């Protein structure tokens, strides 16, 4: 398989700048892998495709406000700092991306507040835009994290050209988000409303949760033509015993098991054993799923519409069949479905 096999023309106006007015009223394209048929629905119709004791598996990661703006000492130049991951809680050392990167060197200091209560010192270079920062803050760890939240902005993807709006803090977060650690939302889950969750519950559908902290690697373009040479960035996964057991029971009972989002699917495929059992897992994954791939847990999935040549498109092509997916995407463009983080959804059965 080559990267160019997953290219298609995506008109710029189909990239969603805003979410749908109501979470569960985004459009839903339903793909049936057996019959290779396509239906056009609304997201809230998803309830009609599942029965009692079927299982939805959600990624309960929570997005933190990862985008900060500081000023460089002496010059006062405005620098964007994107928090990627905390490396050391005690010393307050973080991996970040900086923009513009050419101005930021080891030893530079960045000031985030007028009163200089939050300052960061650049202690290392990691990649072309990557830096390691040590934050200097006179207060407890909890106060430090509170300060980061106060100053931070919802990390909307770069393709959204507008300024961050107050509603983004709520809408770029799933309603079941619990475990803070993601710098991008697991977007398939953004379509679930409290009302829809209640309807699924009333129907007797079971829920399980896994945690995969989405990193910026999810947006990284593939720079190689040969997919076997692409390296995914690592993301952290946590699956506890209780949820592993719920998932294994549904698989054993041959229920419909639905992975909500590519991040959930990645977590499941990382932690499944050769006998199709999920084990409790606490670690990191750099698993890259592309055709052909034998999926061990979920037999259905919900996902958004992805951009050309993306690793996310490759995963769903592995799940639904490449030709069928590329045909569905042609249809989506023709029918003007909205793409990407705030876009419409697809259910693959």
């Amino acid at each position: 398989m080559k990267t160019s096999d997953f290219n298609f023309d995506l008109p710029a106006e189909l990239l969603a700048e805003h979410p749908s007015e109501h979470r569960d009223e985004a459009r839903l394209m339903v793909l049936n892998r057996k019959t290779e048929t396509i239906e056009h629905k609304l997201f809230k119709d998803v309830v009609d495709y599942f029965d009692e004791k079927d299982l939805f598996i959600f990624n309960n990661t929570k997005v933190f406000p990862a985008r900060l703006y500081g000023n460089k000492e002496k010059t006062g130049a405005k620098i964007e700092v994107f928090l990627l991951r905390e490396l050391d809680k005690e010393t307050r050392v973080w991996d970040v991306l900086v923009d513009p990167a050419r101005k930021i060197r080891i030893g530079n200091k960045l000031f985030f507040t007028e009163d200089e209560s939050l300052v960061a010192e650049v202690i290392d270079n990691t990649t072309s835009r990557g830096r390691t920062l040590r934050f200097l803050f006179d207060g407890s760890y909890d106060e430090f994290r509170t300060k980061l939240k106060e100053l931070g902005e919802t990390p909307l993807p770069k393709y959204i050209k507008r300024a961050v709006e107050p509603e983004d803090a709520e809408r770029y977060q799933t309603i079941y988000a619990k475990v803070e650690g993601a710098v991008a939302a697991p977007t398939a889950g953004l379509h679930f409303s409290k009302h829809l969750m209640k309807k699924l519950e009333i129907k007797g559908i079971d829920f399980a949760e896994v945690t995969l902290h989405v990193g910026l690697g999810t947006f990284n373009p593939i720079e190689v033509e040969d997919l076997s040479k692409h390296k995914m960035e690592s993301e952290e996964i946590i699956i506890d015993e209780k949820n592993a057991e719920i998932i294994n029971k549904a698989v054993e009972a041959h229920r419909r098991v639905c992975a909500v989002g590519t991040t959930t699917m990645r977590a499941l495929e990382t932690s499944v054993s050769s006998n199709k059992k999920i084990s409790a897992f606490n670690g990191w994954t750099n698993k890259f799923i592309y055709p052909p791939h034998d999926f061990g847990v979920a037999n259905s999935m919900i996902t958004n519409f992805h951009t050309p040549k993306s690793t996310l498109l490759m995963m769903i092509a592995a799940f639904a069949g490449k030709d069928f997916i590329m045909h569905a995407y042609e249809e989506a463009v023709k029918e003007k479905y909205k793409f990407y983080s705030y876009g419409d959804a697809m259910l693959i059965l």
Side-chain angles (χ1 to χ4, degrees), residues 28-32 37 39 43 45-50 56 256 258-259 300-303 305 319 345-349:
L28 178 71
M29 181 185 273
V30 183
L31 269 55
N32 187 312
T37 50
E39 295 177 279
F43 193 79
D45 300 326
V46 81
V47 70
D48 300 334
Y49 293 88
F50 294 86
F56 276 75
R256 185 164 267 174
C258 183
S300 60
M301 79 180 288
I302 290 169
T303 186
F305 287 91
F319 189 71
M346 176 185 275
L347 168 64
I348 307 171
L349 300 168

Side-chain angles (χ1 to χ4, degrees), residues 85-152:
R85 64 175 69 110
E86 184 176 52
L87 298 179
D88 190 320
K89 196 171 165 173
E90 298 301 309
T91 55
R92 298 173 191 175
V93 172
W94 284 70
D95 258 347
V96 305
L97 294 177
V98 292
D99 200 14
R102 66 183 185 281
K103 296 183 174 179
I104 301 301
R105 297 189 173 85
I106 293 171
N108 287 162
K109 281 199 171 127
L110 300 171
F111 294 87
F112 296 94
T113 53
E114 289 285 321
D115 62 2
E116 299 184 10
S117 60
L118 184 67
V119 180
E121 185 183 3
V122 182
I123 59 172
D124 202 3
N125 297 327
T126 50
T127 59
S128 57
R129 287 179 54 219
R131 302 289 183 272
T132 305
L133 299 187
R134 180 189 290 117
F135 283 96
L136 311 169
F137 178 78
D138 194 14
S140 70
Y141 178 75
D142 286 347
E143 288 166 335
F144 165 63
R145 290 303 297 244
T146 301
K147 180 58 87 176
L148 287 185
K149 268 193 194 140
E150 270 171 29
L151 297 171

Side-chain angles (χ1 to χ4, degrees), residues 45-91:
D45 300 326
V46 81
V47 70
D48 300 334
Y49 293 88
F50 294 86
D51 296 317
E52 192 180 349
K53 292 291 172 209
D54 286 344
L55 179 68
F56 276 75
I57 309 171
F58 299 102
N59 179 6
N60 66 11
T61 187
K62 190 173 188 181
V63 180
F64 64 91
R67 193 172 271 130
L68 300 171
Y69 295 95
N71 297 94
K72 194 178 164 189
E73 67 176 332
K74 295 185 182 134
T75 66
K78 189 179 180 184
I79 306 292
E80 178 188 307
V81 172
F82 196 102
L83 301 171
L84 289 178
R85 64 175 69 110
E86 184 176 52
L87 298 179
D88 190 320
K89 196 171 165 173
E90 298 301 309
T91 55

Side-chain angles (χ1 to χ4, degrees), residues 13-281:
E13 68 271 16
L14 296 186
L15 287 172
E17 288 270 321
H18 290 271
S20 57
E21 192 182 345
H22 300 291
R23 284 181 186 266
D24 57 14
E25 288 186 355
R27 292 165 75 194
L28 178 71
M29 181 185 273
V30 183
L31 269 55
N32 187 312
R33 293 181 290 170
K34 220 176 250 163
T35 56
E36 295 214 340
T37 50
I38 296 174
E39 295 177 279
H40 303 286
K41 301 283 184 176
L42 289 180
F43 193 79
K44 59 188 177 187
D45 300 326
V46 81
V47 70
D48 300 334
Y49 293 88
F50 294 86
D51 296 317
E52 192 180 349
K53 292 291 172 209
D54 286 344
L55 179 68
F56 276 75
I57 309 171
F58 299 102
N59 179 6
N60 66 11
T61 187
K62 190 173 188 181
V63 180
F64 64 91
R67 193 172 271 130
L68 300 171
Y69 295 95
N71 297 94
K72 194 178 164 189
E73 67 176 332
K74 295 185 182 134
T75 66
K78 189 179 180 184
I79 306 292
E80 178 188 307
V81 172
F82 196 102
L83 301 171
L84 289 178
R85 64 175 69 110
E86 184 176 52
L87 298 179
D88 190 320
K89 196 171 165 173
E90 298 301 309
T91 55
R92 298 173 191 175
V93 172
W94 284 70
D95 258 347
V96 305
L97 294 177
V98 292
D99 200 14
R102 66 183 185 281
K103 296 183 174 179
I104 301 301
R105 297 189 173 85
I106 293 171
N108 287 162
K109 281 199 171 127
L110 300 171
F111 294 87
F112 296 94
T113 53
E114 289 285 321
D115 62 2
E116 299 184 10
S117 60
L118 184 67
V119 180
E121 185 183 3
V122 182
I123 59 172
D124 202 3
N125 297 327
T126 50
T127 59
S128 57
R129 287 179 54 219
R131 302 289 183 272
T132 305
L133 299 187
R134 180 189 290 117
F135 283 96
L136 311 169
F137 178 78
D138 194 14
S140 70
Y141 178 75
D142 286 347
E143 288 166 335
F144 165 63
R145 290 303 297 244
T146 301
K147 180 58 87 176
L148 287 185
K149 268 193 194 140
E150 270 171 29
L151 297 171
E153 187 179 271
T154 301
L156 291 183
K158 282 284 193 193
Y159 83 89
I160 294 180
K161 300 295 181 220
R162 63 175 173 81
V164 172
E165 294 166 13
E167 75 153 359
D168 291 313
E170 184 216 340
R171 292 300 302 271
Y172 195 63
Q173 193 84 269
T174 63
I175 60 164
Y176 46 77
K178 282 192 188 82
V179 188
E180 194 169 82
V183 298
T187 54
L190 297 179
H191 303 294
F192 286 84
S193 63
K194 287 194 172 108
H195 182 63
L196 179 57
M197 295 290 270
K198 199 76 206 149
K199 277 173 78 173
L200 292 167
E201 226 173 275
I202 290 165
K203 200 165 181 181
I205 290 158
D206 292 329
F207 301 151
E209 293 183 354
V210 300
T211 306
L212 182 142
H213 291 316
V214 191
L216 275 189
T218 192
F219 302 124
N220 278 357
I222 298 183
E223 309 285 2
V224 290
E225 180 64 354
D226 177 353
L227 294 188
S228 65
K229 293 194 166 49
H230 177 67
K231 295 279 180 286
M232 293 286 280
E233 275 188 36
S234 291
E235 293 170 314
E236 190 179 8
I237 294 177
I238 305 147
I239 302 175
D240 63 25
E241 293 281 1
K242 187 184 116 197
N243 282 288
E245 200 179 315
I246 294 169
I247 295 164
N248 288 333
K249 275 188 178 153
V251 172
E252 279 160 24
H254 304 292
R255 309 303 312 179
R256 185 164 267 174
V257 175
C258 183
V260 177
T262 54
T263 60
T264 300
M265 188 67 95
R266 198 153 166 243
L268 296 172
E269 290 302 301
T270 297
S271 54
V272 69
S273 64
S274 54
N275 63 357
K276 311 280 192 199
K277 280 260 195 299
I278 287 284
S279 309
F281 187 94

